[in-house]
Amino acid sequence: MLDEIAALVNNDAFLQRKGRFVNCVVMVEAGPKRFRLTIRGGKIESVETGRLIMARYDLLMRASANTWNRFWEPMPAPGYNDLFALLKKRLLTIEGDVHLFMANLFYFKGVLEMPRRLVPGSKAPSGSAPGDKA
Amino acid sequence: MSAFIEPLTGRYAHIAIGGKHHRVYFEEAGSGIPLLCLHTAGADGRQFRALMNDAAVTKNFRVIAFDMPWHGKSSPPEGWQHDDYQLTSESYIEQILAVSDALALDKPVAMGCSIGGRIALYLALKHPQKFRAIIGLQASAFVDPYYDTEWLHRPDAHGGEVCAGAVSGLVGPQAPDVHRWETLWHYMQGGPGVFKGDLFFYKVDGDIRDQVGGIDTNKCPLYLLTGEYDYSCPPEDTVAVADRVPGAQVTIMPGLGHFPMSEDPEKFRRYLLPVLEKIFAAR
């Protein structure tokens, strides 16, 4: 899912405004699968997947594949609707440059919620991004 | 063409709280039974804007919402710059009773959300004789911390962005955008360290788990309404309170989050109006 969101993120006016000072590499782990997002000025330059052995990153977000799948449903169930909801349920680990994450919450929440929009006909119920305009 | 002017008024009351002079802003609308509204942590009385414009409420209730000291248009006390703001159960109760006394409210209904819902449990426990009924919105006895509140107040992160970003997911996913972003705007406007100071009560000082069983609903009826998408006070935490308080009446509100009166007023009133009707009928 995350390997398909670059264009959506890069054309989302809200996220581009919120993320204009974000320059970093984010590792997202979904069970055994890894996604490495390289972000410059709020734009996703690349998404690498695979084993990514000894990969460098600034920020890590780790949850099970099942947790992410439930998080990415177009209308997630209570407890799966926000990154902080996952933190509350102890289903998500965030490590590394937490300052980067906390200072840019709207951006990172919006990016991680973006796969909700990949479902045909869905309107993302995002708590962060407007969800219906680029 | 004249503008629509809302049927509410806002004024300032000068009140001694904790031995200090305070200038407290409050808004009110309607007439009848006083309904004293308590806003969430890090926000202000604007969260009750829709309630004050709802004729079905204001025809029988005098709706009053004050901005807690340090919040909204209420000032911090003189000398505030020397201390970090920190709310405790004791100081919170004191300010609510001080405002109620200062406005000469006769047996008001207290309705609070989040920290206001938590303090509503304290009011039910410690001061039931002073209130006609108590309504706890998103009320739990305790919340297990799930992020470090230090991030809410530090010079190298924008407090408004962090506070609003931290609570954005607590708004239910179906909330209308206009109310979602109005609610978040209030969080963006909070003073530095104020949301964090409120959360000291919510997450540290205000653990009332070992006391809620002492609430006597024969002395003061207790209504608990909680939105299903609230992960700060999830429905099971409200039900856990009700399980220990005989007579407590629980309503779980599908689709709503942590700020029902502000994030989706139209949906919220469907659950609140029957409660207010019961209270009015018992007058």
Side-chain angles (χ1 to χ4, degrees), chain A residues 9 11-12 14 21 45 47 51 53 60 83 86 90 93 99 102:
Chain A
V9 169
N11 289 306
D12 186 285
F14 176 86
F21 299 115
E45 288 191 336
V47 181
R51 294 179 66 197
I53 295 165
L60 171 76
L83 291 181
L86 301 183
R90 313 300 190 230
T93 300
H99 186 180
M102 292 301 291

Side-chain angles (χ1 to χ4, degrees), chain B residues 108-145:
Chain B
V109 178
M111 178 169 76
C113 187
S114 183
I115 59 166
R118 178 77 57 76
I119 207 65
L121 300 179
Y122 278 89
L123 296 175
L125 180 73
K126 295 178 184 293
H127 300 283
Q129 74 286 356
K130 290 182 185 289
F131 296 92
R132 184 182 305 258
I134 286 175
I135 305 172
L137 309 175
Q138 317 306 132
S140 65
F142 171 72
V143 62
D144 196 7

Side-chain angles (χ1 to χ4, degrees), chain B residues 181-219:
Chain B
W181 288 99
E182 169 88 20
T183 302
L184 295 179
W185 179 250
H186 303 164
Y187 273 83
M188 292 174 172
Q189 289 190 301
V194 172
F195 183 35
K196 182 190 168 204
D198 285 339
L199 292 182
F200 177 78
F201 161 70
Y202 193 53
K203 297 189 174 179
V204 181
D205 173 78
D207 181 350
I208 194 176
R209 279 177 295 183
D210 62 349
Q211 298 176 66
V212 284
I215 294 174
D216 183 353
T217 57
N218 292 314
K219 293 180 182 167

Side-chain angles (χ1 to χ4, degrees), chain A residues 11-27:
Chain A
N11 289 306
D12 186 285
F14 176 86
L15 290 181
Q16 290 309 305
R17 215 156 34 80
K18 286 290 181 192
R20 65 193 186 280
F21 299 115
V22 176
N23 299 289
C24 63
V25 179
V26 181
M27 182 71 82

Side-chain angles (χ1 to χ4, degrees), chain A residues 57-106:
Chain A
Y57 53 82
D58 301 296
L59 188 64
L60 171 76
M61 301 193 205
R62 176 190 296 128
S64 72
N66 180 55
T67 293
W68 286 122
N69 286 337
R70 295 195 66 179
F71 179 77
W72 288 329
E73 286 173 8
M75 182 58 71
Y80 291 89
N81 53 311
D82 188 82
L83 291 181
F84 274 42
L86 301 183
L87 288 174
K88 178 77 189 305
K89 289 171 82 79
R90 313 300 190 230
L91 295 172
L92 172 68
T93 300
I94 295 179
E95 291 175 352
D97 189 351
V98 180
H99 186 180
L100 171 74
F101 175 71
M102 292 301 291
N104 296 282
L105 278 174
F106 280 108

Side-chain angles (χ1 to χ4, degrees), chain B residues 6-224:
Chain B
E6 299 186 19
L8 62 90
T9 54
R11 287 182 289 170
Y12 291 89
H14 290 252
I15 305 172
I17 303 172
K20 288 186 175 176
H21 169 261
H22 281 267
R23 185 171 187 251
V24 175
Y25 179 72
F26 69 101
E27 293 177 344
E28 66 171 290
S31 59
I33 297 172
L35 175 60
L36 185 60
C37 300
L38 312 171
H39 59 76
T40 65
D44 59 61
R46 285 175 292 177
Q47 291 183 322
F48 297 96
R49 63 197 179 281
L51 215 57
M52 296 206 186
N53 280 284
D54 190 337
V57 175
T58 55
K59 69 178 180 188
N60 291 325
F61 289 86
R62 177 185 169 199
V63 184
I64 302 146
F66 69 95
D67 294 349
M68 294 167 69
W70 300 76
H71 300 66
K73 292 168 84 169
S74 292
S75 301
E78 184 179 355
W80 66 269
Q81 67 276 18
H82 301 302
D83 300 300
D84 278 342
Y85 164 75
Q86 196 170 68
L87 185 72
T88 64
S89 54
E90 200 176 327
S91 64
Y92 199 0
I93 290 170
E94 188 174 10
Q95 66 174 258
I96 294 166
L97 297 183
V99 169
S100 182
D101 287 348
L103 301 182
L105 304 184
D106 178 26
K107 293 267 282 183
V109 178
M111 178 169 76
C113 187
S114 183
I115 59 166
R118 178 77 57 76
I119 207 65
L121 300 179
Y122 278 89
L123 296 175
L125 180 73
K126 295 178 184 293
H127 300 283
Q129 74 286 356
K130 290 182 185 289
F131 296 92
R132 184 182 305 258
I134 286 175
I135 305 172
L137 309 175
Q138 317 306 132
S140 65
F142 171 72
V143 62
D144 196 7
Y146 53 100
Y147 66 94
D148 182 357
T149 59
E150 281 292 332
W151 292 106
L152 301 175
H153 183 210
R154 43 186 286 166
D156 56 359
H158 189 289
E161 294 279 343
V162 179
C163 293
V167 303
S168 67
L170 288 170
V171 178
Q174 299 155 15
D177 262 357
V178 61
H179 292 307
R180 170 190 309 281
W181 288 99
E182 169 88 20
T183 302
L184 295 179
W185 179 250
H186 303 164
Y187 273 83
M188 292 174 172
Q189 289 190 301
V194 172
F195 183 35
K196 182 190 168 204
D198 285 339
L199 292 182
F200 177 78
F201 161 70
Y202 193 53
K203 297 189 174 179
V204 181
D205 173 78
D207 181 350
I208 194 176
R209 279 177 295 183
D210 62 349
Q211 298 176 66
V212 284
I215 294 174
D216 183 353
T217 57
N218 292 314
K219 293 180 182 167
C220 181
L222 177 65
Y223 300 90
L224 302 172

